[in-house]
């Protein structure tokens, strides 16, 4: 599916192609058509699923296509629990609305209000806010919510956990009754179900299982390691886990061969599989591995697609993948069918940015392990 097939208009398509997004994520595929029809929505999704674009795109498109009359007024409100999320959401609105005339403003507590008030005075179409500062500026009459057409309650469960329920309840009566409301939450405890009943009108529900859910049964470990220490660390790790079947991932075919060569030299029987090997050679390597003749296999992501074994004891990310989701797929090969799973990642200095993305996608901080001297 493409963004165009979701009937997204030209200015937004242009912004998306600048971001180099190729396909809509599952939550976007489901939520955008509902959002564009101005229907109320419950989205069960967590950060990392692309949910921000799932509500931002329909809002931008609807506002951009509605006639502009009179003074600029706040027509969309996005309420989110933390300053970090507010800033991230504001960044998304900036990017996706670049080729429109819409204005957006972000307000949050913990900083002086003057700059935020200045921006509000200049007029804005979309307001992203944390609850406390929003109520504060409303009481000072800098903000009126009387013209809101679209209201998003983001991370509703976190909002409650952080004790914002009273603030949210104070805000609700200030919103016009006729509006589109979209509520996003990673979980749906009873309090959220009750809240959603009171603020949504005949909502459609969309739900995406986070990619990270597959990793919950897997113990994940992380070594910060110099590039040239990786092979020694790998040899050490493999020797200590010689009872397990272990899949080692490299990014390139060349590297897979090199790692396999070095391991064999160190007395660890292993084979590499990648696209340059013949089908017969790959098959043979897999048969040897599955039967336990070899305990270690080194693979590239593409070649590893054929590996489907229930008792894979460990996955080692010798090198990090380019895309965070690939990490989740890699490690999801261990810990299957009730077996204990372990995933160890080697992260060099230049891979740290990637590692941060991965932790964002999986929503987890990995256990950092120390190198023994
Ligand atoms: P979110 O769940 O909204 O915090 O988004 C998570 C990350 O996914 C952000 O870094 C977005 O820039 C990115 N993202 C959102 N939609 C897409 C898409 N369709 N294709 C690729 N990346 C995306």
């Amino acid at each position: 599916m493409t963004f165009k097939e979701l009937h997204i208009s030209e200015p937004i398509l242009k912004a998306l192609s600048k971001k180099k997004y190729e396909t809509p994520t599952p939550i976007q595929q489901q939520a955008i058509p509902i959002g564009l029809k101005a229907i109320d929505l419950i989205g069960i999704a967590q950060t990392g699923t692309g949910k921000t674009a799932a509500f931002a795109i329909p809002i931008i498109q609807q506002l951009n296509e509605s006639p502009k009359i009179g003074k600029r007024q706040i027509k969309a409100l996005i309420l989110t629990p933390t300053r970090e999320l507010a800033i991230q959401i504001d960044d998304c609105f900036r990017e996706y609305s670049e080729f429109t005339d819409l204005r957006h403003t972000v307000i949050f507590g913990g900083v002086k209000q003057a700059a935020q008030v200045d921006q509000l005075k200049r007029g804005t179409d979309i307001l992203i806010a944390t609850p406390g500062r929003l109520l504060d500026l409303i009481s000072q009459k800098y903000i009126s919510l009387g013209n809101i057409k679209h209201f998003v309650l983001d991370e509703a469960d976190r909002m409650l956990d952080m004790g914002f329920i009273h603030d949210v309840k104070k805000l609700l009566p200030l919103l016009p009754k006729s509006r589109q409301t979209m509520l996003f939450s990673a979980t749906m405890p009873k309090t959220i179900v009750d809240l959603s009943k009171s603020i949504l009108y005949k909502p459609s529900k969309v739900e995406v299982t986070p990619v990270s859910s597959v990793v919950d049964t897997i113990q994940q470990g992380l070594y910060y390691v110099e590039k040239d220490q990786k092979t020694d660390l790998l040899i050490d790790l493999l020797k200590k886990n010689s009872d397990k079947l272990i899949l080692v991932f490299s990014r390139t075919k060349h590297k897979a061969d090199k790692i396999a060569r070095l391991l064999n030299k160190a007395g660890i029987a292993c084979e590499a599989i990648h696209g340059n090997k013949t089908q017969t050679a790959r098959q043979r390597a897999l048969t040897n591995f599955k039967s336990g003749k070899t305990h270690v296999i080194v693979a590239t992501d593409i070649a590893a697609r054929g590996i489907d074994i229930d008792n894979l004891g460990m996955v080692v990310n010798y090198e990090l993948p380019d895309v965070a989701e690939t990490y989740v797929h890699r490690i999801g090969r261990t810990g299957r069918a009730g077996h204990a799973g372990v995933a160890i990642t080697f992260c060099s200095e230049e891979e740290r940015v990637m590692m941060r993305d991965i932790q964002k996608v999986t929503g987890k901080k990995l256990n950092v392990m120390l190198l023994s001297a």
Side-chain angles (χ1 to χ4, degrees):
M1 161 154 329
T2 60
F3 282 108
K4 209 168 177 168
E5 283 166 329
L6 291 176
H7 304 289
I8 293 172
S9 60
E10 213 40 61
I12 303 174
L13 287 177
K14 200 168 155 191
L16 291 169
S17 82
K18 199 171 158 191
K19 288 285 291 175
K20 299 210 163 50
Y21 291 169
E22 284 168 8
T23 48
T25 65
I27 187 87
Q28 291 163 5
Q29 293 185 19
Q30 296 177 59
I32 291 175
I34 298 166
L36 282 175
K37 285 190 205 127
I39 295 172
D40 281 4
L41 176 83
I42 299 184
I44 305 174
Q46 52 185 221
T47 303
T49 53
K51 70 176 162 73
T52 315
F55 64 75
I57 291 173
I59 291 179
I60 294 170
Q61 183 151 328
Q62 290 177 89
L63 294 183
N64 193 45
E65 288 173 359
S66 61
K68 291 157 194 70
I69 2 170
K71 205 170 143 258
R72 211 180 273 270
Q73 283 161 329
I74 304 170
K75 290 180 276 304
L77 170 68
I78 291 84
L79 201 59
T80 190
T82 68
R83 166 196 171 134
E84 287 71 26
L85 279 167
I87 294 170
Q88 271 178 40
I89 295 170
D90 185 54
D91 288 341
C92 287
F93 273 97
R94 174 174 312 107
E95 289 167 353
Y96 306 143
S97 69
E98 183 183 345
F99 304 105
T100 71
D101 294 327
L102 297 168
R103 282 202 213 145
H104 54 97
T105 301
V106 60
I107 60 169
F108 45 78
V111 293
K112 292 210 174 88
Q113 69 172 46
Q116 297 176 357
V117 170
D118 278 351
Q119 279 222 350
L120 289 167
K121 281 184 182 159
R122 267 179 253 138
T124 192
D125 302 285
I126 300 156
L127 181 66
I128 300 109
T130 54
R133 177 59 56 102
L134 177 62
L135 280 169
D136 210 2
L137 295 182
I138 289 174
S139 70
Q140 296 176 53
K141 305 254 183 304
Y142 289 119
I143 294 173
S144 151
L145 301 181
N147 295 296
I148 297 288
K149 303 264 182 300
H150 309 276
F151 170 53
V152 177
L153 189 61
D154 185 39
E155 309 241 336
D157 49 354
R158 244 171 109 190
M159 201 83 95
L160 298 195
D161 289 345
M162 292 175 70
F164 285 135
I165 185 72
H166 296 298
D167 286 351
V168 173
K169 286 197 168 150
K170 261 189 239 167
L171 285 164
L172 295 175
L174 308 178
L175 295 166
K177 283 219 162 41
S178 156
R179 58 164 202 255
Q180 176 181 35
T181 306
M182 296 188 255
L183 179 147
F184 284 84
S185 194
T187 57
M188 271 288 160
K190 188 170 177 303
T191 31
I192 303 286
V193 176
D194 292 345
L195 179 72
S196 69
K197 281 186 188 143
S198 71
I199 64 171
L200 297 159
Y201 175 72
K202 291 189 180 168
S204 292
K205 188 164 151 188
V206 300
E207 184 164 2
V208 294
T209 13
V211 264
S212 58
S213 68
V214 293
V215 304
D216 283 349
T217 53
I218 304 167
Q219 273 185 48
Q220 299 176 65
L222 169 66
Y223 284 100
Y224 286 117
V225 60
E226 299 293 329
K227 242 172 154 175
D228 58 5
Q229 288 180 311
K230 284 191 175 184
T231 310
D232 286 346
L233 178 62
L234 181 65
I235 292 171
D236 192 45
L237 192 69
L238 296 180
K239 284 192 171 157
K240 284 185 184 142
N241 290 279
S242 57
D243 56 323
K244 292 191 176 89
L245 291 185
I246 301 178
L247 172 59
V248 180
F249 278 99
S250 77
R251 276 160 49 117
T252 63
K253 301 170 198 167
H254 173 75
K255 196 71 190 199
D257 277 334
K258 191 169 167 198
I259 298 167
R261 218 168 34 241
L262 290 169
L263 291 181
N264 280 315
K265 221 167 119 190
I268 299 167
C270 102
E271 287 179 274
I273 57 165
H274 51 67
N276 284 3
K277 301 252 170 179
T278 63
Q279 189 58 35
T280 335
R282 279 200 255 174
Q283 211 49 56
R284 194 180 50 233
L286 278 177
T287 312
N288 286 343
F289 188 56
K290 284 182 187 173
S291 68
K293 216 165 168 184
T294 48
H295 280 244
V296 181
I297 209 157
V298 187
T300 56
D301 287 300
I302 294 175
R305 281 185 194 159
I307 305 179
D308 196 12
I309 332 173
D310 277 346
N311 58 340
L312 188 69
M314 187 188 279
V315 165
V316 180
N317 294 302
Y318 185 93
E319 292 168 311
L320 286 177
D322 287 324
V323 183
E325 278 74 12
T326 307
Y327 169 87
V328 178
H329 291 139
R330 282 185 180 182
I331 72 165
R333 295 171 180 284
T334 180
R336 287 194 181 173
H339 291 274
V342 180
I344 303 292
T345 298
F346 295 176
C347 175
S348 67
E349 188 67 39
E350 56 266 44
E351 289 172 316
R352 287 193 178 214
V353 179
M354 199 55 231
M355 202 59 233
R356 271 200 293 275
D357 279 359
I358 289 172
Q359 304 204 13
K360 224 169 109 187
V361 167
T362 61
K364 278 196 167 110
K365 271 230 167 305
L366 268 54
N367 226 349
V368 176
M369 318 223 265
L370 300 175
L371 293 174
S372 45

